[in-house]
Amino acid sequence: MSRSHRKVPIIGHAVCSRERQDKRWHRRWRAGERTQLTGASTETLSAYLPLLENEVSNTSLMGKDGRFYWSKSSQIVVANRIAGCKGRTPEEQASIRTRLLRKWASK
């Protein structure tokens, strides 16, 4: 995996550090559905209506805001800006710039 790279630069935009709380409700919901389906008889199974995800949660309250396309030209502009702030010499700025671009291109 060290040489793998993103073929399409679509990146998840998250305002939170973790999505653990968002995944917890989904795990509970799946477990509840699973137990209801395994414990149901054939007569009650035909009348069973599962809960929809929208009835249980609200996607606007989750930490991840979605996904967006981050083009290579935008990545270069941001890398140049960060390298200009952090690097002192032109060689150091160039190494920071290449390191950031390689980091963003990896999976």
Side-chain angles (χ1 to χ4, degrees):
M1 292 300 278
S2 64
R3 295 183 184 202
S4 63
H5 67 281
R6 267 182 223 276
K7 293 178 178 52
V8 179
I10 296 177
I11 298 169
H13 184 254
V15 294
C16 63
S17 59
R18 291 190 240 161
E19 293 180 283
R20 190 172 196 169
Q21 296 292 335
D22 300 339
K23 294 178 181 182
R24 185 178 294 168
W25 74 265
H26 194 253
R27 184 173 47 229
R28 287 182 190 157
W29 176 69
R30 284 194 329 253
E33 292 289 319
R34 199 177 314 119
T35 55
Q36 287 182 358
L37 287 174
T38 55
S41 64
T42 55
E43 296 84 24
T44 59
L45 191 61
S46 62
Y48 174 72
L49 293 173
L51 284 174
L52 298 175
E53 289 185 34
N54 293 337
E55 295 173 358
V56 180
S57 71
N58 187 0
T59 56
S60 64
L61 298 177
M62 293 184 182
K64 191 171 266 190
D65 293 336
R67 298 167 66 92
F68 68 97
Y69 180 81
W70 195 18
S71 66
K72 190 70 172 175
S73 60
S74 299
Q75 291 179 17
I76 291 171
V77 168
V78 173
N80 285 335
R81 187 169 8 122
I82 292 172
C85 293
K86 290 189 175 185
R88 294 183 182 150
T89 64
E91 294 84 16
E92 188 177 353
Q93 289 177 359
S95 68
I96 291 172
R97 186 178 314 112
T98 55
R99 186 175 64 234
L100 286 172
L101 289 174
R102 285 183 183 162
K103 177 183 173 184
W104 294 333
S106 66
K107 287 185 179 179

